[in-house]
Amino acid sequence: MKKILFLTLVLVLSGCAKKEEAPSRWFYLQRAYPHKTINPEAVKRARNQYLRLRRFGTKNMIWQLAGPTNIGGRVTALAVNPLATNIIYIGTADGGVFKSIDNGHTWTPIFDNTGVLSIGAIAIDPQDTATIYVGTGEANSSGDSFDGNGIYVSHDGGMTWTHLGLDNTAHIGRIVINPVNDSIIYVAAMGRLFSTNPERGVYKSTDMGATWQRVLFVNDTTGCIDLAINPDAPDTIYAAMWQRIRGRDFRFVGGNGSGIYRSLDGGATWTKLTNGLPAGDNIGRIGIAIAPSSPSVLYAVFSDHPGNRIGIFKSTDGGNTWHPTGSYPEGTSYEWYFGNIRVAPTNPNIVYVIGLNGYISTDGGNSWNDFTNSIHVDHHDLWIDPSDINHLVIGN
């Protein structure tokens, strides 16, 4: 019997249809007017004003709802303490970071004092589980996926936070920490959603985030959406790059810049992996996962522009060659909103693909079954307990 904890936020999914897209689009246009994009300096001023209000109090202020009332919310990222699995951290699209110390029964907001509420990634230091990294800016590219302002770290389990820079990365899709040297951290930076900007790609720190170096860049509309690191050879890193940009009246979620890159030397050099993988100018979001118990086995889920799932691919030789799995669960027409895949820590043949629904394969991708048909839809992150692979936490 699987023990599954579901973290649910109900949302109106932007991008499904014109009617459902209107609230988030109106919300965005209202704040961008009279320009095409929201001024990041205006966002910074608003955050600073918010922090001053929190500091000095708001008891004499009267607030009025400005609307709209149905902007979507969701769990975008989660992390579980591997040494005390009752401790769970979740990041949300528009609500900051929450912590539970009782296996999800109660939650406490722990990130509000930063003034940043859009969260893209959370990672726990494997050598010091009181150290938590948060990447701000949801990377799912919805109409209400707002910019963040880089990376934060807490060394006391979320009680206090320090800003570590990468301010202009805007949206962060993943943070991975070298499992044998926690001074080395990699960050997947997507860059701004509604404009071009050069602060995209893969960033590396060798001093726990004190300084950063960009080690992979494709172009000013292509960012990194996912990362995987080989636990047995942590200088081997895989990066899923995604070319995407939105405007007030358009959405491009694919391009020639998309693809999987591999580094064998800790990010110093990179090679684009192509043998057996989809190619072309319509390749969209990609999710990648490595099998911890057999790191030569990798899985990747591919979508296209405008957002259809086009396949799940498997490599058994560390990414040198790939082949499509025997089948794959049908996705949606907006897979740019999902795109995550996971492998069970102790079994390379147990694979999960999460999206509108969640699917599991127990035979290495040859067949799939829905494991989320009794809960709310739209799944964005999944944790599998390394000591009990039947214990799952999923955020939707």
Side-chain angles (χ1 to χ4, degrees):
M1 181 75 178
K2 291 187 185 298
K3 297 179 290 182
I4 305 178
L5 175 64
F6 303 104
L7 307 174
T8 303
L9 288 173
V10 178
L11 69 138
V12 175
L13 181 62
S14 72
C16 292
K18 187 173 182 180
K19 178 180 178 182
E20 293 166 340
E21 185 176 289
S24 61
R25 184 172 179 271
W26 178 88
F27 187 80
Y28 179 85
L29 292 176
Q30 183 192 53
R31 283 148 182 81
Y33 181 84
H35 307 290
K36 294 181 179 180
T37 62
I38 297 175
N39 182 353
E41 290 302 315
V43 176
K44 185 183 296 184
R45 290 193 298 270
R47 286 175 181 149
N48 289 336
Q49 182 185 37
Y50 159 79
L51 291 175
R52 288 194 299 270
L53 290 173
R54 281 183 64 88
R55 181 180 178 184
F56 296 112
T58 59
K59 64 181 180 180
N60 296 322
M61 301 184 69
I62 299 174
W63 292 88
Q64 181 177 350
L65 180 65
T69 59
N70 53 349
I71 288 294
R74 52 204 161 267
V75 173
T76 55
L78 61 87
V80 181
N81 186 326
L83 303 181
T85 59
N86 57 299
I87 300 176
I88 307 170
Y89 301 88
I90 61 169
T92 62
D94 299 308
V97 179
F98 292 78
K99 179 180 181 178
S100 174
I101 60 173
D102 55 11
N103 203 36
H105 292 285
T106 60
W107 297 91
T108 301
I110 60 172
F111 205 67
D112 290 4
N113 286 333
T114 67
V116 186
L117 298 181
S118 179
I119 307 301
I122 302 177
I124 298 176
D125 186 330
Q127 297 182 39
D128 176 11
T129 57
T131 295
I132 318 298
Y133 293 90
V134 168
T136 61
E138 181 194 14
N140 291 318
S141 298
S142 180
D144 54 356
S145 297
F146 296 107
D147 286 3
N149 70 340
I151 296 284
Y152 289 78
V153 65
S154 173
H155 295 294
D156 52 19
M159 295 178 61
T160 59
W161 296 91
T162 301
H163 187 229
L164 295 179
L166 299 182
D167 301 50
N168 294 319
T169 54
H171 299 271
I172 291 175
R174 190 77 64 213
I175 303 168
V176 297
I177 303 168
N178 185 308
V180 297
N181 182 353
D182 62 354
S183 295
I184 300 175
I185 307 165
Y186 298 90
V187 168
M190 276 303 301
R192 302 200 184 281
L193 176 56
F194 285 90
S195 64
T196 62
N197 76 303
E199 293 87 357
R200 304 172 186 264
V202 178
Y203 287 82
K204 178 181 181 180
S205 174
T206 57
D207 50 18
M208 299 189 75
T211 60
W212 297 93
Q213 177 188 6
R214 189 175 62 188
V215 293
L216 178 60
F217 174 75
V218 176
N219 59 51
D220 65 3
T221 58
T222 300
C224 185
I225 187 62
D226 207 357
L227 290 167
I229 190 167
N230 186 323
D232 294 345
D235 279 341
T236 299
I237 308 108
Y238 302 85
M241 306 300 288
W242 179 23
Q243 187 165 5
R244 65 95 174 98
I245 188 170
R246 290 186 64 153
R248 290 185 297 181
D249 299 302
F250 68 87
R251 179 196 294 124
F252 293 110
V253 291
N256 284 316
S258 301
I260 296 176
Y261 289 74
R262 180 181 64 188
S263 175
L264 301 176
D265 51 16
T269 60
W270 296 83
T271 301
K272 189 174 184 178
L273 304 180
T274 59
N275 192 349
L277 291 175
D281 60 5
N282 73 328
I283 300 303
R285 181 169 179 168
I286 303 165
I288 188 166
I290 194 167
S293 62
S294 182
S296 60
V297 177
L298 296 104
Y299 295 87
V301 54
F302 273 71
S303 64
D304 67 6
H305 172 80
N308 301 297
R309 182 178 293 159
I310 56 177
I312 296 171
F313 296 81
K314 181 178 181 179
S315 174
T316 58
D317 55 12
N320 294 327
T321 60
W322 297 78
H323 62 270
T325 57
S327 64
Y328 65 91
E330 185 176 352
T332 67
S333 61
Y334 44 92
E335 286 301 308
W336 45 263
Y337 190 59
F338 302 116
N340 278 294
I341 189 166
R342 302 285 184 270
V343 186
T346 57
N347 189 331
N349 291 314
I350 298 179
V351 190
Y352 294 86
V353 172
I354 55 174
L356 180 70
N357 297 304
Y359 293 88
I360 180 175
S361 174
T362 58
D363 55 12
N366 291 318
S367 61
W368 300 86
N369 293 297
D370 189 336
F371 74 97
T372 60
N373 53 14
S374 62
I375 61 172
H376 191 271
V377 295
D378 294 350
H379 307 285
H380 294 290
D381 206 354
L382 173 68
W383 174 82
I384 308 167
D385 191 336
S387 61
D388 177 8
I389 61 171
N390 290 318
H391 177 203
L392 311 175
V393 181
I394 193 167
N396 63 31

